[in-house]
Amino acid sequence: MGFAGAPVPPEPREFEPVPDDPISMFYGDAPRPEAEEAAKRPVPQSVKSFSDRLTKAAWHTVPSTYVICEADQVLPAQAQQVLAERSGAVHRIAGDHSPIMSKPAELAALPARAALETA
C-alpha cells in the first residue's frame, strides 16, 4: 500500500507531471497575481513520495497538528481526515491546497491558538 492506503501502481511513472492548470489545483483561493507567480514554481513530483514505505515518521514521537483544507482540489478533505487522525490536534480551514497564500492570517493564528489551548 502507498500513500493513505492507496494501491501502488504496478508500473509507476518516475515523476508525476505538474497539472495543466496549477492555479486552480493549488492556488485557487489566492489573489490572482500571487497565484500566477506561484504557478511558475511547481516541478514534477517524484512518484516515490506517494508509494515508498515509511520506516519511521515523526508523528509517532513528536506532537503534531494537521490542518485540513476543506476546499483542497489536490487532496480531498475526507482523505486529509484519514491523515489527520494520526495527529494530536486537527484544525480546519475553509480554503484551498495553499492556505499560506489564500488564508495567511488564519493559518498564522493556529500556532498561537494551539499554544493557548495547551497552556
Side-chain angles (χ1 to χ4, degrees):
M1 292 299 208
F3 178 72
V8 177
E11 294 182 30
R13 295 182 296 232
E14 193 171 340
F15 291 94
E16 187 67 34
V18 175
D20 290 335
D21 184 6
I23 291 177
S24 66
M25 287 290 290
F26 302 128
Y27 319 111
D29 293 340
R32 188 69 186 198
E34 287 91 339
E36 288 173 352
E37 188 60 35
K40 297 175 186 175
R41 295 188 206 116
V43 297
Q45 178 74 37
S46 169
V47 173
K48 286 182 158 243
S49 67
F50 300 108
S51 61
D52 270 359
R53 289 191 179 269
L54 293 176
T55 57
K56 293 184 180 182
W59 56 265
H60 287 288
T61 57
V62 177
S64 60
T65 297
Y66 195 100
V67 178
I68 295 175
C69 300
E70 294 177 336
D72 194 331
Q73 299 299 305
V74 178
L75 192 58
Q78 54 271 38
Q80 294 177 64
Q81 184 64 46
V82 172
L83 300 172
E85 289 172 4
R86 305 184 285 199
S87 300
V90 178
H91 300 279
R92 299 178 98 74
I93 288 183
D96 65 13
H97 189 71
S98 304
I100 196 163
M101 292 178 58
S102 60
K103 306 275 186 185
E106 190 175 341
L107 186 64
L110 291 179
R113 185 169 36 155
L116 290 173
E117 289 170 0
T118 59

